[in-house]
Amino acid sequence: MSSPFHSMIFWSRRNLFATAKDVALTVMLVLLSIWAAYHFIHWAVLVARWDVVSDSLRVFLVGTLPPTEFWRAWIALLFVALIVGSMSGLGFAFRPRQMALTILFLAGLTFPIVGNNIPVLAAVCSMTVSFVASWFLVSRLALSIRHVGCFVTGSLALIFMILAPAGMDRWGGLLLSLVFTLVSSFFIIIFGVLLAFGRRSNNWALRLPCIMYIESMRSLPLILIVYWIWIAGPLFFPTWNVAAVTRGIAGFVVYFSAVAAESVRGGLQGLPKGQQEAARSLGLGEFDINYQILLPQALRASVPALMGNILDVFNFVPVVFVVGLADFLRTGEMVLASPRYGDRTYEVYVFMLVIYFAIGSVLTFVARGLEHHLSKGSRRLSELH
Amino acid sequence: MTNASNSIVEMVNLNKYFGTQLVLSDINLTVIRGEVLVVIGGSGSGKSTLIRCINGLESHEGGTLIVDGYTMPCRTLPTAAGSKDLLRIRKRVGMVFQQFNLFPHKTVRDNLTLAPVRVHNRSPADAAEAAEKLLSRVGLEAHASKFPAQLSGGQQQRVAIARALAMEPDLMLFDEPTSALDPEMVSEVLDVMRELAADGMTMIIVTHEMGFAREVAGRIAYLDKGRFLEIGTPTELFDSPNNDRTKTFLSRILKH
């Protein structure tokens, strides 16, 4: 008598209806959820006018990028799909059935918005194919983080090179948010690691500046740093016309490198002292001790914190409105500013919420995969027992 | 080269402080090539610190310490040797730790080949071949591709010994190599060390395994509160200790 139905009843009796207090709580919460869900669905289906989303999709996705340059955005998104796919492949085995279900679910969400726009459908399909293919290849060939790291680096450079000729100040919408996050995260992790090791150096001439830098950045507001770098750029390089995006990314890198450095330091401090002693006793030099022994283990330990930092980067991108850029959230305000859609505040912000949540979830998922991949050595112990 | 000299470790009036606390006081010791010296003593007597000074994991504050012909840097005499000399000594002195300290993110093979490749500039293929030989010497040839966490404590410690041997050291230091092991795994590690001693390796061993010490040691040194109270052959020390405190210590440790 252990059918799923029976075990479900058993579970809910033990966990939801064990005492009178439990029953009261359960009933209250269920009623509350039904009430909230009813109102939301009622609004979403009958009241809300979603045409604002499908009509303004271009603005949301790419901002004011001219239609003749859309192909650049699609190629960039293709590479984003490849990056996400290959990083997922590092940590998770490829499971065709789960993958098919996920794609069906996403297709159900996408079709109502995209409609029968053939070029867009083709682009979305090719993105899906490259995402699935990269996941499949990385997990089947058991590629290591080094291969994927090289691939991601190359892809980021390509994305930048493809998008740059369109005019960097015309990037906008979700495209801007994504590229901004990916490019700044790349530098943030590199500089964060360097700063964390610099902070632990035995050489005070290296250690002191690192400590001062990290502590002063952490005590300043992000928005001030972004704004300051934006106005300071032309001050120091008057002849060099740096795009606002680049200056915005620089501001984020300057601030978040210090934050990431603290995450990496957390990982380094958690390492047993014996690791360094064992490496020393073998005669390894300082570089090998740091690069071969301490860094891989520290990164493994700090992946959750670092991924939190990257999520922060993504969620703080709206700050770039101070330097005149129109990121995803800003395009929502732009759409609402037009008289035609002035009364669609709820529709637009629900759409924003869903997209932010979806992307945040994908980032979290990739982070779990990375953790999984990096915990190789210690994980197999539990498989053994 | 001073290698011709017969002694591999020479300590003259060695002093070591932790802060203001004296942990090693006026240690005089000479270890001859091929000798097996066992250091015994109660907890906090300074035995770990003593052997950690020999490969420079700890630095001393006074006296002279010459290892394999090189004068080890001293805090009060910083000119004695630079960090380059320290690296040169560490290449020749292997160390085995109580907690194994294998690199958990590398396979057993990579644990063994990393230092020979990076420090001795050996080719990866060469180093892997040597690693294979060492692993079969410690009876773990089947585990080369595993990660340390997949091995038992005894197996991990044998890998740690092989890792130190991969550098082809002139001297091996053992810091309580069996203290973190379950009792049934102690003998497999001691067997490896016995063979090593029989092959003529110079070894300095800190241990509480008195039976093993009696069997393998050329000399046994009893350390108490940072001083050598007695040094002698196992027979001298175990059967007719001169010092009362040595007697008390031995009776306490041999009782169970």
Side-chain angles (χ1 to χ4, degrees):
Chain A
M1 287 300 279
S2 61
S3 70
F5 182 68
H6 275 95
S7 64
M8 225 166 80
I9 289 194
F10 180 73
W11 181 88
S12 47
R13 276 188 64 179
R14 216 177 55 178
N15 293 291
L16 300 176
F17 303 102
T19 65
K21 213 168 72 188
D22 280 5
V23 174
L25 266 176
T26 305
V27 169
M28 243 164 62
L29 280 175
V30 166
L31 286 179
L32 201 72
S33 317
I34 291 176
W35 177 81
Y38 170 77
H39 278 276
F40 180 75
I41 291 170
H42 179 262
W43 172 81
V45 176
L46 297 176
V47 181
R49 285 169 296 160
W50 292 108
D51 56 328
V52 59
V53 172
S54 46
D55 289 352
S56 322
L57 203 56
R58 274 187 184 173
V59 181
F60 289 141
L61 294 186
V62 292
T64 54
L65 198 71
T68 49
E69 307 285 357
F70 280 178
W71 62 274
R72 296 181 187 277
W74 284 118
I75 295 182
L77 286 180
L78 202 73
F79 276 109
V80 172
L82 283 171
I83 290 175
V84 175
S86 55
M87 286 180 79
S88 311
L90 270 183
F92 300 107
F94 185 82
R95 294 203 177 81
R97 258 175 66 195
Q98 285 177 4
M99 184 64 89
L101 280 177
T102 317
I103 290 171
L104 273 180
F105 174 72
L106 290 178
L109 282 181
T110 323
F111 272 108
I113 302 177
V114 175
N116 52 359
N117 186 337
I118 300 297
V120 174
L121 277 184
V124 170
C125 286
S126 53
M127 269 167 63
T128 315
V129 169
S130 40
F131 171 75
V132 173
S134 57
W135 186 327
F136 178 78
L137 279 178
V138 169
S139 97
R140 275 301 144 88
L141 299 178
L143 295 182
S144 81
I145 196 158
R146 268 173 216 209
H147 303 118
V148 175
C150 288
F151 174 73
V152 169
T153 312
S155 303
L156 284 175
L158 276 174
I159 289 176
F160 216 81
M161 268 151 51
I162 288 167
L163 282 173
M168 281 172 36
D169 285 332
R170 279 143 128 194
W171 298 358
L174 190 57
L175 178 75
L176 174 72
S177 299
L178 284 179
V179 173
F180 197 98
T181 308
L182 286 173
V183 175
S184 24
S185 304
F186 178 76
F187 290 108
I188 285 166
I189 290 180
I190 292 178
F191 289 131
V193 166
L194 291 177
L195 279 169
F197 276 94
R199 188 176 186 154
R200 282 168 46 101
S201 165
N202 290 328
N203 184 349
W204 66 267
L206 192 60
R207 187 176 62 237
L208 218 59
C210 287
I211 294 178
M212 275 162 59
Y213 178 84
I214 292 170
E215 294 305 331
S216 52
M217 281 307 140
R218 273 158 42 92
S219 55
L220 290 171
L222 168 68
I223 198 161
L224 181 72
I225 292 168
V226 172
Y227 191 64
W228 209 86
I229 293 220
W230 185 64
I231 49 175
L235 211 67
F236 291 113
F237 310 99
T239 51
W240 195 28
N241 188 17
V242 185
V245 178
T246 319
R247 282 186 267 162
I249 289 178
F252 266 61
V253 170
V254 162
Y255 177 81
F256 276 103
S257 298
V259 178
E262 290 297 274
S263 302
V264 176
R265 186 164 74 109
L268 278 170
Q269 279 177 340
L271 295 183
K273 212 173 145 219
Q275 288 294 310
Q276 191 162 8
E277 287 179 353
R280 283 221 173 109
S281 75
L282 286 167
L284 289 169
E286 284 303 309
F287 176 79
D288 281 329
I289 295 177
N290 286 327
Y291 183 71
Q292 299 267 1
I293 306 302
L294 301 183
L295 179 62
Q297 297 186 62
L299 274 186
R300 175 202 293 179
S302 48
V303 160
L306 279 176
M307 280 295 156
N309 297 152
I310 287 172
L311 264 174
D312 281 350
V313 171
F314 179 66
N315 291 334
F316 276 116
V317 169
V319 160
V320 297
F321 84 88
V322 298
V323 301
L325 294 171
D327 78 301
F328 187 49
L329 197 68
R330 185 76 182 153
T331 55
E333 284 165 27
M334 278 161 59
V335 167
L336 287 174
S338 81
R340 216 179 125 205
Y341 295 124
D343 57 345
R344 307 290 176 80
T345 319
Y346 291 116
E347 284 85 344
V348 168
Y349 280 111
V350 166
F351 172 69
M352 300 261 139
L353 192 86
V354 170
I355 298 295
Y356 266 113
F357 179 74
I359 293 176
S361 309
V362 169
L363 276 179
T364 316
F365 176 78
V366 169
R368 289 303 298 269
L370 269 182
E371 248 176 274
H372 208 59
H373 178 75
L374 287 171
S375 64
K376 242 180 349 198
S378 51
R379 188 180 78 234
R380 298 204 176 145
L381 181 68
S382 54
E383 281 170 11
L384 200 72
H385 295 308
Chain B
M1 293 290 282
T2 35
N3 274 357
S5 133
N6 205 25
S7 67
I8 193 159
V9 177
E10 271 184 70
M11 296 179 177
V12 183
N13 294 331
L14 188 84
N15 283 305
K16 162 85 191 161
Y17 293 86
F18 282 142
T20 52
Q21 194 197 348
L22 187 63
V23 279
L24 293 175
S25 101
D26 289 331
I27 298 281
N28 289 294
L29 175 72
T30 305
V31 180
I32 310 294
R33 282 173 202 279
E35 180 181 4
V36 175
L37 174 78
V38 169
V39 181
I40 60 172
S43 87
S45 58
K47 25 187 218 312
S48 285
T49 312
L50 179 77
I51 67 167
R52 287 161 61 90
C53 281
I54 295 171
N55 70 348
L57 286 182
E58 305 280 358
S59 61
H60 54 283
E61 272 82 25
T64 341
L65 169 55
I66 300 170
V67 182
D68 223 1
Y70 292 101
T71 308
M72 297 293 281
C74 166
R75 262 195 218 146
T76 50
L77 196 77
T79 48
S83 59
K84 269 197 182 145
D85 284 337
L86 211 54
L87 283 183
R88 223 172 289 163
I89 285 157
R90 284 174 181 162
K91 279 186 210 175
R92 298 172 174 206
V93 179
M95 183 152 191
V96 175
F97 298 85
Q98 184 177 354
Q99 299 295 342
F100 329 137
N101 294 344
L102 294 175
F103 306 132
H105 59 300
K106 293 190 181 287
T107 59
V108 166
R109 186 185 294 106
D110 291 346
N111 264 281
L112 262 65
T113 55
L114 176 69
V117 170
R118 301 292 306 175
V119 180
H120 281 326
N121 291 321
R122 298 183 65 174
S123 79
D126 257 15
E129 199 183 322
E132 243 27 84
K133 271 184 202 149
L134 280 170
L135 283 176
S136 60
R137 188 163 159 197
V138 299
L140 291 171
E141 60 275 26
H143 301 281
S145 302
K146 288 189 180 168
F147 285 92
Q150 290 171 282
L151 304 177
S152 73
Q155 290 171 327
Q156 288 192 48
Q157 193 61 297
R158 284 188 278 156
V159 172
I161 295 174
R163 178 177 70 177
L165 290 175
M167 291 296 287
E168 294 171 352
D170 297 335
L171 167 68
M172 286 282 282
L173 307 173
F174 291 84
D175 188 3
E176 301 197 30
T178 57
S179 297
L181 294 175
D182 288 340
E184 77 268 24
M185 292 169 182
V186 168
S187 63
E188 61 186 79
V189 171
L190 294 183
D191 284 344
V192 170
M193 291 168 66
R194 259 183 213 112
E195 276 170 38
L196 214 54
D199 287 350
M201 173 63 76
T202 317
M203 298 156 79
I204 302 179
I205 306 169
V206 171
T207 187
H208 294 297
E209 301 291 335
M210 293 304 152
F212 170 76
R214 182 188 277 259
E215 175 192 344
V216 170
R219 282 188 304 163
I220 298 185
Y222 175 60
L223 198 63
D224 182 83
K225 290 177 187 149
R227 286 170 201 279
F228 277 133
L229 285 191
E230 210 160 327
I231 303 185
T233 63
T235 336
E236 286 167 7
L237 208 91
F238 282 120
D239 299 340
S240 51
N242 293 325
N243 193 293
D244 283 343
R245 268 189 282 184
T246 319
K247 273 180 208 158
T248 330
F249 176 77
L250 284 175
S251 69
R252 241 185 266 142
I253 211 159
L254 292 174
K255 207 179 281 171
H256 56 260

